[in-house]
Amino acid sequence: MTATTTFRERLYVTWWIWPLPLLAAALLAAEVHMGFPGVRSWLPYVILLPLTVALIAKMGSTKVEVAGGELRAGDAHIPLELLGAVEIIAPEDRRRTMGRDLDPAAFVVHRGWVKPLVRVHVTDPDDPTPYWVISTRHPEELAAAIKS
């Protein structure tokens, strides 16, 4: 039996975040290059630039998915029947939601480059987590998938 997927999104890193870390890695490699002759001069470029690309790609590997009767965000998952109200949080309310209004026991999958948030309340009495806060580029679609 295959699980039906009603929502799937990858929280990839947007293009405008890539240049600054790559520039920093190139500058660091150039500093090492200036101090060492021979083979050691090009080695920092071979190590630092691919390592930076790998780290940025890893940051963008987080998935948000509603499939097989579960909500999955990052490495965590919870059955849909244990979920209650779903709130869509507008980008202008994000700072308050992630700041003073955030319960310390909440489960958070937040990516700063993804503005909208969805808050999903947990109704399981045995779960100490009051709600999940999840970054998503498609909050209406995620809310509809959780409610259905």
Side-chain angles (χ1 to χ4, degrees):
M1 182 174 155
T2 60
T4 58
T5 302
T6 55
F7 179 84
R8 178 179 290 155
E9 177 182 23
R10 181 178 296 274
L11 301 177
Y12 58 88
V13 178
T14 56
W15 68 269
W16 51 267
I17 292 178
W18 286 75
L20 189 59
L22 288 173
L23 178 64
L27 287 173
L28 182 60
E31 279 205 31
V32 175
H33 172 102
M34 289 188 286
F36 293 104
V39 173
R40 292 179 293 182
S41 66
W42 57 266
L43 197 57
Y45 297 102
V46 172
I47 294 171
L48 289 175
L49 292 175
L51 181 63
T52 303
V53 169
L55 288 173
I56 295 171
K58 177 68 175 152
M59 288 173 54
S61 67
T62 304
K63 290 182 200 166
V64 176
E65 181 178 53
V66 177
E70 286 186 330
L71 169 62
R72 295 185 184 107
D75 294 332
H77 57 92
I78 187 169
L80 293 177
E81 59 265 8
L82 299 178
L83 300 177
V86 179
E87 300 172 57
I88 296 173
I89 298 165
E92 56 270 10
D93 297 328
R94 182 174 63 126
R95 172 173 267 170
R96 185 176 38 83
T97 302
M98 292 302 297
R100 68 175 183 214
D101 291 349
L102 183 67
D103 187 322
F107 175 76
V108 178
V109 175
H110 178 256
R111 298 298 179 260
W113 54 88
V114 179
K115 302 296 183 201
L117 296 170
V118 171
R119 181 174 15 211
V120 184
H121 292 273
V122 178
T123 60
D124 184 7
D126 296 330
D127 194 342
T129 306
Y131 55 83
W132 285 25
V133 178
I134 304 167
S135 291
T136 177
R137 289 185 174 89
H138 310 285
E140 292 85 10
E141 294 174 27
L142 177 57
I146 291 170
K147 290 176 186 175
S148 65

